[in-house]
Amino acid sequence: MTDTVVIQDDELLIERIFDAPVALLYRVWTQPEHLVKWWSPKAFTPLSITHDLVVGGTYRYGVLSPDGTEVWMTGVFQEIVPNEKIAMTFRWENGAWDVDNLITVTFVGTASGRTLVRFHQTPFKTVAGRDAHTDGWNSVLDKLAAYLETLA
C-alpha cells in the first residue's frame, strides 16, 4: 500500500505498510549490506553505501543511472532511535535540486505484525523538485518491498 500525502509545496510525506516486523525494517534500512540491495530508484543500480550510524555520523550512497552516470547523495545523521526513527540531512553531491533536505523515517508496528513506514522529506525549493523526489522515493520503496520478500 502506498499513500503519498503532500503536506505543503515544500514537503513530501509517503506512508507505506510493509509485511514485515519493525526490527527487520529497521535492520534493512540501517545496515549497508542490506541497503546496497535496494536503495536506488527504479532502473538505477546501487553502487556503494557507507555510513557511520551515530548522531553526527555521515553517510554517502551512490547509484548508477541507466545511462551509466554515477550519482551520489550524502548527509549527516541527526537522530537515531533504534526500531523507531532515523533523521538525516540529504544532499545530492552533484548539486541537483540545490537544496539540503531533512529526511525523517519512522517505523510503527501494527497489531498484525506489519510495519507502517513514514518517510518525510523537506524542504523543497520547487514543486517540480518535490514531485521528482516523490516518484523516486516511491520506486525506492517498491524495491524495498521486493527485497523484503527475498528475506521471508
Side-chain angles (χ1 to χ4, degrees), residues 59-96:
Y59 71 88
R60 186 170 189 250
Y61 298 170
V63 297
L64 187 65
S65 73
D67 70 4
T69 303
E70 289 187 13
V71 183
W72 293 87
M73 59 208 91
T74 187
V76 177
F77 291 103
Q78 303 293 303
E79 184 178 3
I80 300 168
V81 180
N83 297 320
E84 291 181 28
K85 182 179 186 180
I86 303 164
M88 58 193 178
T89 62
F90 177 90
R91 182 175 229 345
W92 293 104
E93 283 188 359
N94 67 354

Side-chain angles (χ1 to χ4, degrees), residues 7-126:
I7 300 170
Q8 295 182 33
D9 286 350
D10 69 342
E11 290 184 68
L12 167 63
L13 174 65
I14 300 172
E15 295 184 332
R16 187 177 293 202
I17 295 177
F18 291 91
D19 192 17
V22 168
L24 178 58
L25 260 294
Y26 183 80
R27 188 166 56 250
V28 300
W29 204 285
T30 58
Q31 295 179 353
E33 62 269 22
H34 290 292
L35 286 163
V36 76
K37 305 270 173 86
W38 63 269
W39 184 289
S40 64
K42 177 177 63 175
F44 284 67
T45 304
L47 288 173
S48 174
I49 294 180
T50 58
H51 69 226
D52 182 14
L53 189 68
V54 296
V55 173
T58 61
Y59 71 88
R60 186 170 189 250
Y61 298 170
V63 297
L64 187 65
S65 73
D67 70 4
T69 303
E70 289 187 13
V71 183
W72 293 87
M73 59 208 91
T74 187
V76 177
F77 291 103
Q78 303 293 303
E79 184 178 3
I80 300 168
V81 180
N83 297 320
E84 291 181 28
K85 182 179 186 180
I86 303 164
M88 58 193 178
T89 62
F90 177 90
R91 182 175 229 345
W92 293 104
E93 283 188 359
N94 67 354
W97 306 108
D98 190 33
V99 66
D100 287 330
N101 297 135
L102 179 65
I103 292 176
T104 304
V105 182
T106 56
F107 307 90
V108 180
T110 68
S112 65
R114 298 166 76 195
T115 303
L116 168 65
V117 173
R118 287 190 181 107
F119 179 94
H120 182 255
Q121 184 176 12
T122 192
F124 292 96
K125 284 187 173 182
T126 66

